[in-house]
Amino acid sequence: MLKYSLVGYDGSPSSKQAFRFALEWARACGGRVRVVSVVQVTEGSADTCALMITDSGTKRCTALLDELREMAPGAEALIDAEVVRGSPGDALLDQVRRHGIDHIVIGHTARGALARWLLGSVSGDMLERAHVPVTVVR
């Protein structure tokens, strides 16, 4: 039975739906949900990026936990949350390895072919590279 689900969360409607799905799964199976928001830094010097991430990381994690509590009152005991930096696909797969995740739940955002080619697709990346079951929520 799948007991520890990972949700990639960016605050979009599809990630909120993925979180709700994973939480219901956890409740039904006696499991837990790890919610991870990935900060992708693409510009600036290494020192600037490090300062920005350090300064905003705690605030972002607090804001993430507040948002999750509002969506799922009383479910705090089932939820772990973290804000990490990096590319979304790599960061989520790193979470799978480091935390013994056995199930990934990811939202699907409808994009055209050009947007997928330019920006990539986290759900497609997870389906291709993950070594644990992946549920894509639409």
Side-chain angles (χ1 to χ4, degrees):
M1 183 62 62
L2 305 173
K3 293 287 190 176
Y4 199 17
S5 296
L6 172 68
V7 176
Y9 189 86
D10 63 5
S12 67
S14 64
S15 69
K16 290 178 181 181
Q17 192 171 355
F19 168 68
R20 289 183 190 104
F21 177 90
L23 187 58
E24 288 306 313
W25 184 275
R27 285 179 173 146
C29 299
R32 296 186 57 75
V33 177
R34 181 168 193 80
V35 180
V36 175
S37 180
V38 180
V39 177
Q40 190 169 8
V41 180
T42 57
E43 293 184 18
S45 71
D47 291 338
T48 302
C49 292
L51 181 61
M52 181 181 74
I53 289 169
T54 302
D55 184 46
S56 67
T58 303
K59 292 176 189 172
R60 289 187 100 150
C61 196
T62 300
L64 173 62
L65 284 168
D66 290 344
E67 186 173 341
L68 298 175
R69 283 185 194 114
E70 187 175 311
M71 286 189 335
E76 294 89 5
L78 300 177
I79 302 167
D80 302 319
E82 186 175 4
V83 175
V84 299
R85 64 185 166 142
S87 88
D90 292 339
L92 294 175
L93 291 174
D94 183 55
Q95 291 284 313
V96 169
R97 286 186 291 274
R98 290 188 321 125
H99 297 285
I101 301 294
D102 58 10
H103 180 218
I104 299 171
V105 181
I106 193 105
H108 178 270
T109 303
R111 290 189 186 143
L114 179 60
R116 274 194 309 278
W117 181 74
L118 289 171
L119 303 171
S121 164
V122 177
S123 58
D125 194 22
M126 293 298 95
L127 287 169
E128 185 176 315
R129 296 175 40 200
H131 296 289
V132 298
V134 177
T135 301
V136 178
V137 177
R138 290 182 167 251

